């Protein structure tokens, strides 16, 4: 991948990213800002592939929180939404110190299967770093079995994402 030179003048200050309001965006995309810290990178300063997964998880949990689904409360009620399928395409590398927008949206629900789309891109939207699709399934935490249907409160809240 081609290397580019980035200066700190091109990136917003860390405080701006940390204080960024987490809100739904146009086209039903939810946006979550991240900055590549040293622990996200390999020895050469390139973001390790697994860091992207953590960012996508954080974005999805915050998106759910924005519509009233607190993941910790969901787990306390005995329902979990584990990842059962994952497809990622890495388009361009992020490097240490760079900021990016993790965009996520619920693509569709098929019974207890929930498909989420992702894009990780530069803050100005000019560079695309990653696209992905993740499938979650509702599981009864105690029994470890797939639920027959989503809890009604979860399903009702998720419908908000599809409008």
């Amino acid at each position: 991948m081609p290397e580019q030179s980035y200066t700190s003048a091109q990136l917003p200050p860390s405080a701006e990213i940390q204080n960024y309001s987490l809100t739904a965006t146009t086209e039903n995309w939810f946006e979550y800002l991240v900055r590549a810290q040293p622990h996200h990178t390999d020895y050469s300063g390139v973001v390790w592939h697994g860091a992207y997964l953590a960012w996508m998880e954080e974005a999805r949990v915050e998106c759910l929180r924005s519509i009233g689904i607190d993941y910790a409360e969901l787990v306390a009620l005995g329902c979990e939404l584990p990842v059962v399928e994952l497809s990622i395409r890495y388009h361009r590398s992020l490097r240490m110190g760079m900021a990016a927008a993790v965009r996520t949206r619920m693509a569709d629900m098929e019974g207890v299967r929930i498909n989420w789309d992702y894009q990780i891109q530069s803050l100005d939207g000019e560079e695309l770093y990653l696209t992905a699709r993740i499938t979650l399934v509702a599981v009864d935490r105690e029994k470890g079995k797939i639920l027959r249907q989503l809890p009604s409160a979860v399903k009702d809240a998720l419908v908000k994402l599809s409008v």
Side-chain angles (χ1 to χ4, degrees):
M1 293 188 187
E3 289 198 23
Q4 296 178 346
S5 175
Y6 292 91
T7 65
S8 60
Q10 293 173 295
L11 300 173
S14 292
E16 183 179 319
I17 290 175
Q18 291 169 349
N19 295 329
Y20 185 77
S21 174
L22 302 173
T23 57
T25 59
T26 59
E27 302 171 315
N28 296 326
W29 287 100
F30 178 85
E31 195 167 88
Y32 179 78
L33 298 185
V34 296
R35 180 178 299 277
Q37 303 294 341
H39 66 277
H40 297 131
T41 65
D42 62 18
Y43 64 91
S44 67
V46 173
V47 172
W48 173 66
H49 69 276
Y52 297 99
L53 295 171
W55 292 340
M56 290 188 293
E57 178 93 6
E58 290 169 18
R60 184 175 64 249
V61 168
E62 289 300 323
C63 179
L64 290 171
R65 188 178 62 79
S66 77
I67 61 165
I69 300 174
D70 183 296
Y71 199 84
E73 289 176 11
L74 186 65
V75 170
L77 293 172
C79 178
E80 291 210 44
L81 298 171
V83 172
V84 295
E85 197 170 325
L86 168 66
S87 174
I88 296 179
R89 171 140 171 98
Y90 297 95
H91 300 275
R92 181 177 301 272
S93 295
L94 269 160
R95 300 188 65 77
M96 186 180 347
M98 292 174 64
V102 181
R103 298 176 71 208
T104 186
R105 67 180 173 191
M106 186 186 70
D108 56 63
M109 283 188 294
E110 303 165 4
V112 294
R113 295 174 66 87
I114 308 164
N115 295 307
W116 289 79
D117 290 331
Y118 295 85
Q119 295 177 348
I120 299 181
Q121 60 191 73
S122 59
L123 297 180
D124 63 8
E126 296 295 317
E127 297 287 335
L128 182 63
Y129 303 114
L130 173 145
T131 51
R133 172 154 287 195
I134 290 178
T135 302
L136 309 175
V137 67
V139 171
D140 180 312
R141 187 164 196 240
E142 201 172 288
K143 296 177 184 173
K145 295 189 177 196
I146 295 174
L147 294 172
R148 292 181 175 261
Q149 60 186 16
L150 287 170
S152 59
V154 174
K155 187 174 183 178
D156 294 345
L158 289 174
V159 167
K160 295 177 193 176
L161 292 176
S162 61
V163 236

